[in-house]
Amino acid sequence: MTILADIAAFSLLAFAALFLGAQILSREAGYRLGQYRAARQETADDGIGVVTGSILGLLAFVLAFNLSIATTRHAERRLASLEEANAISTTWLQARAIDSPHAAAIARILEDYAAERIVFVHADRNSPVIGESLARTAAMQTRIWGHVTALVRDAPGPVAASLMNAVNHTFDMTTAMRFAMAYAIPAQLIWLLLALGCVGMGVLGYQFGLTGRHHRVLSLLASMLWTAVVVEIFDIGSPRLGSFRTDTHAYDWTIAGFGDIPLPGAE
């Protein structure tokens, strides 16, 4: 999976070209083998159509299965970002509602915290920005918890306890977001999908070789379609590759909501 991810991180077109080339080679090898088999036997191999249909049907099933997993992973990352942004917003509002220097400090740190989460989500695969962002996030969490501890000790009560729970929930959502960004489609399923694509094209070429008809244009069209679907599955299922990135709209909306809160009767 690391090799595939490195190639895709370099260029999704390179990844697609390699997979397409592997399918074409498999198809040509199967065609040559089919021609050789047809020249050495007098009767046609009628069972090859059933085998070819079974393998292509299995390929379609694996494609659909991987697409389902990829979209689920993508949806989980989007939901995690929304929940974390909501948790940050809720904690900020609670901190602003408390008349305390510690609560005001928590609110100010949370504003930087939300911006830092955007940096984390936007970071590319294997980028040092990921580790740096996590370190800054951990440092801000320590500072926030220090202010929460001081606030609870200075003014213990339901208000301080509510803010403490909100901060704790924010930290939990940050961990959940980090977990969601760390996982993609299992490597075994991706390799299975790639292998089935090549095997399916090889068996199809073998069947064409038995009949003596190339059908290169149709075979190339099928390979290109399979390649496009596989690339999209790999892109959607990977958190830091290609164009299907986790959006940060929820964080942007949270940051846009930061500002002065006018108190009734204070005008």
Side-chain angles (χ1 to χ4, degrees):
M1 188 66 175
T2 301
I3 297 175
L4 296 177
D6 288 340
I7 297 174
F10 173 73
S11 173
L12 281 177
L13 289 178
F15 175 78
L18 287 175
F19 181 48
L20 180 61
Q23 291 180 80
I24 293 175
L25 290 177
S26 299
R27 189 264 179 199
E28 290 299 322
Y31 181 82
R32 299 299 179 186
L33 183 60
Q35 278 189 320
Y36 175 78
R37 181 64 182 273
R40 292 179 61 88
Q41 64 182 14
E42 297 180 355
T43 59
D45 192 350
D46 297 330
I48 187 62
V50 177
V51 176
T52 302
S54 299
I55 293 178
L56 295 181
L58 180 60
L59 173 60
F61 171 77
V62 175
L63 279 172
F65 183 64
N66 277 271
L67 181 59
S68 176
I69 293 178
T71 54
T72 299
R73 289 284 192 272
H74 184 65
E76 288 173 351
R77 291 192 294 270
R78 295 185 64 184
L79 180 60
S81 68
L82 175 61
E83 291 179 343
E84 184 183 21
N86 284 337
I88 294 173
S89 177
T90 299
T91 306
W92 181 85
L93 289 173
Q94 290 194 25
R96 287 298 304 270
I98 300 175
D99 185 14
S100 167
H102 294 296
I106 291 172
R108 288 194 300 271
I109 299 173
L110 283 173
E111 294 174 6
D112 296 331
Y113 191 89
E116 189 60 48
R117 300 309 296 157
I118 295 178
V119 174
F120 171 77
V121 174
H122 280 169
D124 293 327
R125 180 180 176 273
N126 293 333
S127 172
V129 174
I130 297 176
E132 295 168 359
S133 178
L134 290 175
R136 289 191 294 267
T137 299
M140 283 188 281
Q141 287 181 348
T142 301
R143 291 167 55 200
I144 290 173
W145 198 252
H147 286 291
V148 170
T149 302
L151 178 63
V152 171
R153 292 178 179 179
D154 292 344
V159 174
S162 177
L163 179 60
M164 181 173 62
N165 291 333
V167 168
N168 187 61
H169 179 63
T170 297
F171 293 170
D172 288 343
M173 291 302 98
T174 296
T175 302
M177 184 59 189
R178 181 179 178 182
F179 182 82
M181 292 293 291
Y183 285 90
I185 302 176
Q188 297 89 337
L189 292 180
I190 291 294
W191 283 112
L192 176 63
L193 182 58
L194 297 177
L196 276 176
C198 294
V199 171
M201 189 53 63
V203 173
L204 190 62
Y206 179 79
Q207 183 178 13
F208 291 159
L210 290 177
T211 61
R213 299 178 180 178
H214 279 286
H215 298 294
R216 282 197 172 95
V217 175
L218 293 178
S219 299
L220 180 60
L221 178 60
S223 295
M224 292 175 66
L225 292 175
W226 291 347
T227 300
V229 174
V230 170
V231 169
E232 291 303 310
I233 289 175
F234 193 64
D235 188 1
I236 296 173
S238 302
R240 301 185 185 276
L241 294 175
S243 58
F244 284 94
R245 299 295 186 96
T246 303
D247 61 60
T248 57
H249 295 322
Y251 298 106
D252 294 332
W253 297 333
T254 296
I255 293 175
F258 295 152
D260 294 332
I261 301 177
L263 299 179
E267 293 82 357

